Amino acid sequence: MRIGLIAEKIGMTQLFDDNGVQVPVTVLKISPCTVVSLKTKDKDGYDAVQLGSKEDKEKHINKPQLGYFKKLSSKFFRILKEFRVDDVSSYSVGDTFGVDHFSGGQLVDVTGISKGKGFAGGMKRHGFGGLRATHGVSIVHRCHGSVGNRTLPGRVFKGKRMAGHMGDQRVTTLNLMVHSVDKEKEVIFVRGAVPGSSSRTVIIRDAIKGKVGAGLGK
């Protein structure tokens, strides 16, 4: 397993293939990602590569991160992400990766924070059908109905689908195909939708369950 990259979701647009078919794509901007540190199984208990993205000035970094960067004698980055790998020997501190890390036609997994919807009821949050519109139902037509039991077990089970906070959680979309890569603008075009709103940070990596694009090396 090789590392993924840190990207910024720009938004969605449309492209056309050679046959003139419209393809909806999400535009992801990948600023150069630099290897900040390496985690090894002997020292840390696992193998991983830590990447930094969006180099920033020292005055914009908070004190805990400032001490961390100075300890590593590294540049200052606004975003840090860690990627598990099978072997860290092929990576070195200071290595830089860009959009050419991916290629058109390969499958990728994209992880991001979904859009927050606030407090939502059972019908919107879980797709419930609601109660009957007649025959005694009054005011509570969109209620999700009974949630409890009788004397035994006498409680509501954990995980019961009810009204509550919707969205604003970590979501991974699997097996999205990279339509094309623009090295000059440092963007890649991924077919379909990606979790999160525009200008949010997302993680893009090789598809775990996909077959296309396997064995790309480092």
Side-chain angles (χ1 to χ4, degrees):
M1 180 186 298
R2 63 175 191 161
I3 63 171
L5 292 183
I6 305 168
E8 178 185 355
K9 180 179 177 180
I10 302 300
M12 292 197 69
T13 184
Q14 61 183 12
L15 299 177
F16 296 89
D17 60 16
D18 297 335
N19 298 322
V21 178
Q22 176 188 353
V23 180
V25 296
T26 301
V27 184
L28 300 179
K29 180 176 178 58
I30 300 180
S31 301
C33 298
T34 305
V35 177
V36 175
S37 66
L38 301 176
K39 306 287 185 179
T40 59
K41 188 171 295 185
D42 296 334
K43 183 178 179 181
D44 304 288
Y46 63 98
D47 292 327
V49 177
Q50 189 177 55
L51 293 182
S53 178
K54 294 186 177 180
E55 188 175 345
D56 207 346
K57 297 180 180 179
E58 180 178 349
K59 64 180 182 180
H60 295 154
I61 306 298
N62 60 43
K63 288 186 177 180
Q65 288 186 336
L66 190 62
Y68 177 71
F69 285 126
K70 288 185 177 181
K71 181 180 179 181
L72 297 175
S73 300
S74 168
K75 297 179 180 179
F76 306 107
F77 296 96
R78 195 180 309 170
I79 303 173
L80 287 177
K81 295 292 182 181
E82 195 172 276
F83 297 90
R84 295 286 186 100
V85 294
D86 298 328
D87 184 18
V88 298
S89 61
S90 57
Y91 301 93
S92 301
V93 175
D95 288 349
T96 303
F97 300 89
V99 292
D100 53 356
H101 190 66
F102 300 101
S103 59
Q106 84 166 94
L107 298 180
V108 295
D109 298 337
V110 181
T111 302
I113 304 299
S114 62
K115 293 182 180 180
K117 306 293 183 180
F119 190 95
M123 294 181 70
K124 180 176 181 179
R125 193 182 185 199
H126 303 294
F128 290 170
L131 303 185
R132 302 174 68 177
T134 56
H135 297 286
V137 177
S138 175
I139 303 178
V140 291
H141 299 88
R142 297 182 63 86
C143 178
H144 47 61
S146 175
V147 298
N149 296 274
R150 296 189 178 183
T151 303
L152 293 175
R155 62 188 177 87
V156 178
F157 290 108
K158 290 184 178 180
K160 181 69 176 178
R161 294 184 297 171
M162 302 172 65
H165 187 267
M166 182 178 176
D168 195 26
Q169 58 186 355
R170 183 184 175 95
V171 177
T172 299
T173 304
L174 304 177
N175 296 335
L176 296 175
M177 179 174 288
V178 177
H179 181 274
S180 57
V181 177
D182 191 333
K183 295 182 180 180
E184 294 183 359
K185 296 182 180 179
E186 296 183 333
V187 298
I188 66 174
F189 301 95
V190 179
R191 298 187 62 166
V194 166
S197 58
S198 299
S199 74
R200 291 296 295 268
T201 299
V202 298
I203 302 300
I204 177 172
R205 67 187 75 195
D206 297 335
I208 298 177
K209 301 179 181 179
K211 297 181 179 179
V212 180
L216 294 177
K218 181 178 177 181

